[in-house]
Amino acid sequence: MEIDIHTAMLNSYRVIIQKQEPEDIISTELGMFAHDPTDEVKENVIQGILEYFEDEEDYEKCIKIRNYIKEKW
């Protein structure tokens, strides 16, 4: 299976920020993630996701990720 970075980043965003269940994503779409959905989110991983969406210029997601980082750490 080819790795689709965009899909992995979106799926991780949906799980971490939007609180969707990983199982729901896996059952309906490509089940790839930029993080381990069975483990606690690590700061360096969420920073990488933030950088990805900054590069994509998706600033709405960036704001939500920054808020999550501020609340968690």
Side-chain angles (χ1 to χ4, degrees):
M1 173 179 13
E2 184 177 322
I3 296 175
D4 180 350
I5 298 297
H6 187 71
T7 298
M9 292 294 184
L10 281 175
N11 286 347
S12 286
Y13 174 85
R14 290 165 57 196
V15 169
I16 297 167
I17 305 300
Q18 297 178 332
K19 306 296 186 206
Q20 291 185 9
E21 292 296 324
E23 295 81 14
D24 294 341
I25 294 170
I26 292 169
S27 68
T28 60
E29 300 172 30
L30 293 175
M32 54 183 70
F33 300 90
H35 77 296
D36 180 352
T38 64
D39 198 6
E40 188 174 327
V41 178
K42 296 179 178 37
E43 188 173 4
N44 66 327
V45 171
I46 194 70
Q47 286 289 347
I49 295 170
L50 174 61
E51 289 173 17
Y52 174 81
F53 285 113
E54 286 174 341
D55 290 344
E56 293 291 306
E57 298 181 357
D58 191 337
Y59 300 120
E60 184 177 316
K61 285 182 177 62
C62 292
I63 291 167
K64 291 179 181 178
I65 295 169
R66 284 181 196 267
N67 289 340
Y68 174 86
I69 291 169
K70 285 180 188 177
E71 290 174 13
K72 185 136 174 117
W73 289 283

